[in-house]
Amino acid sequence: MMNQEEHIVRNPPPSLIPRLHAISTREVQQVNPFVRAIEGEDFQDISRDILMMLTQCLFGDELAGRYLLAHLISSIQSRVGMEILGKMCLNLTNIPGISSGYSKSLYGILEAVLPVSYRLEMTLENLNDRQFMPKKDYKTGKLTSGLLQLAPRTNLVIDETCLEPGQLQSGGIEAVKSLGHLIRNQSVEADFQFYRLEYESDVAVLILSEGKSLLPSDIMLPLKPDPKTQEHIEETFKAAHQFIRKFN
């Protein structure tokens, strides 16, 4: 007979693992069912305005704005053997350092535009201490979740400007390997201690870094800022948020 502690471990309360009871369900074609379909001239106008907004947020670099827009709308279309069609991991380099707060402000814009997103600060502490892949806990008989268990069509923004000199421990090395595996194969490994299983994922990865990233990428693009825009970047971000609010 199980004692109370064993019973809680095997049957965690809703406060730890929320339950969602659905009376009825309806399949939708997109993440936000309340967003109206945009077609024709409206689509062209809005896409042009979004491109302009992204360009200004990237210090006036239109090429970077176009690549970023293409990245944001990318998703996996099919898998043919080892080829993953539709995957586009973008590494934007020459990003101002963490002290400037630029990467956090840029993510604020992306978060407001995207349906689902997550920002990972690539610090030594996060790499060494956080669990990136799901692992089987044989004491409880449960699979503990990992950071990379993200919903399909999630945009993962990896902020490498947070990385400072230091030593990666074994957990940090595994974290970097897990991130690289996700980027290259669009799959997440589950660690069952004696073996590993792969689960397919569809996560668009954007890497923001000062120099070339430690992680692999499909496209690496150095940011070429317009000096005239650098002085007014805070006002640019405020204007971008006001533009986005028009669609909320």
Side-chain angles (χ1 to χ4, degrees):
M1 184 175 180
M2 291 188 297
N3 57 34
Q4 184 177 3
E5 184 177 349
E6 291 175 336
H7 179 77
I8 293 175
V9 169
R10 293 182 177 274
N11 302 279
S15 59
L16 294 179
I17 302 181
R19 276 78 159 175
L20 180 64
H21 300 277
I23 298 175
S24 65
T25 61
R26 177 171 58 90
E27 185 176 355
V28 295
Q29 300 302 317
Q30 56 182 351
V31 176
N32 189 346
F34 299 104
V35 175
R36 64 180 177 86
I38 301 174
E39 299 177 352
E41 295 182 0
D42 288 344
F43 177 81
Q44 294 179 359
D45 292 341
I46 292 175
S47 61
R48 183 180 62 248
D49 291 342
I50 291 176
L51 174 59
M52 183 182 299
M53 178 192 71
L54 294 176
T55 298
Q56 293 304 312
C57 290
L58 294 172
F59 299 109
D61 189 338
E62 184 177 353
L63 180 62
R66 290 185 179 277
Y67 269 95
L68 180 56
L69 179 58
H71 161 78
L72 295 179
I73 62 177
S74 66
S75 63
I76 295 176
Q77 302 301 312
S78 64
R79 297 173 186 259
V80 182
M82 298 297 293
E83 294 293 329
I84 304 172
L85 305 181
K87 177 174 74 75
M88 182 182 175
C89 174
L90 176 62
N91 176 202
L92 289 178
T93 66
N94 199 25
I95 298 293
I98 186 64
S99 59
S100 68
Y102 172 79
S103 58
K104 187 175 182 180
S105 297
L106 178 61
Y107 175 72
I109 297 297
L110 301 180
E111 183 182 29
V113 171
L114 296 167
V116 187
S117 64
Y118 181 77
R119 174 174 175 254
L120 171 62
E121 293 185 352
M122 200 170 171
T123 62
L124 284 176
E125 182 180 2
N126 284 338
L127 292 174
N128 288 329
D129 298 340
R130 301 190 68 175
Q131 181 172 307
F132 281 70
M133 69 173 68
K135 292 184 179 181
K136 181 65 177 290
D137 186 343
Y138 284 93
K139 292 182 179 179
T140 62
K142 295 184 180 296
L143 189 67
T144 58
S145 62
L147 186 146
L148 297 182
Q149 284 181 280
L150 299 170
R153 302 292 182 91
T154 296
N155 285 74
L156 174 61
V157 180
I158 301 177
D159 189 353
E160 201 171 300
T161 64
C162 302
L163 191 60
E164 297 179 350
Q167 184 174 2
L168 280 177
Q169 301 172 1
S170 58
I173 295 173
E174 284 296 318
V176 173
K177 289 181 179 179
S178 297
L179 287 168
H181 185 85
L182 171 66
I183 293 170
R184 281 189 294 264
N185 304 306
Q186 278 298 303
S187 63
V188 176
E189 291 183 318
D191 185 4
F192 287 86
Q193 188 175 345
F194 305 106
Y195 61 95
R196 293 185 177 185
L197 290 179
E198 286 194 15
Y199 297 90
E200 291 184 353
S201 59
D202 185 0
V203 176
V205 181
L206 172 65
I207 307 171
L208 304 176
S209 59
E210 296 181 65
K212 183 179 179 181
S213 173
L214 298 174
L215 301 170
S217 62
D218 299 309
I219 299 171
M220 185 187 72
L221 184 66
L223 198 62
K224 296 181 179 179
D226 181 349
K228 297 179 182 178
T229 64
Q230 291 179 297
E231 298 178 0
H232 309 288
I233 192 64
E234 292 185 8
E235 290 79 3
T236 299
F237 282 129
K238 291 179 181 178
H241 279 291
Q242 291 177 353
F243 168 74
I244 295 169
R245 290 192 191 100
K246 295 194 304 182
F247 302 96
N248 293 337

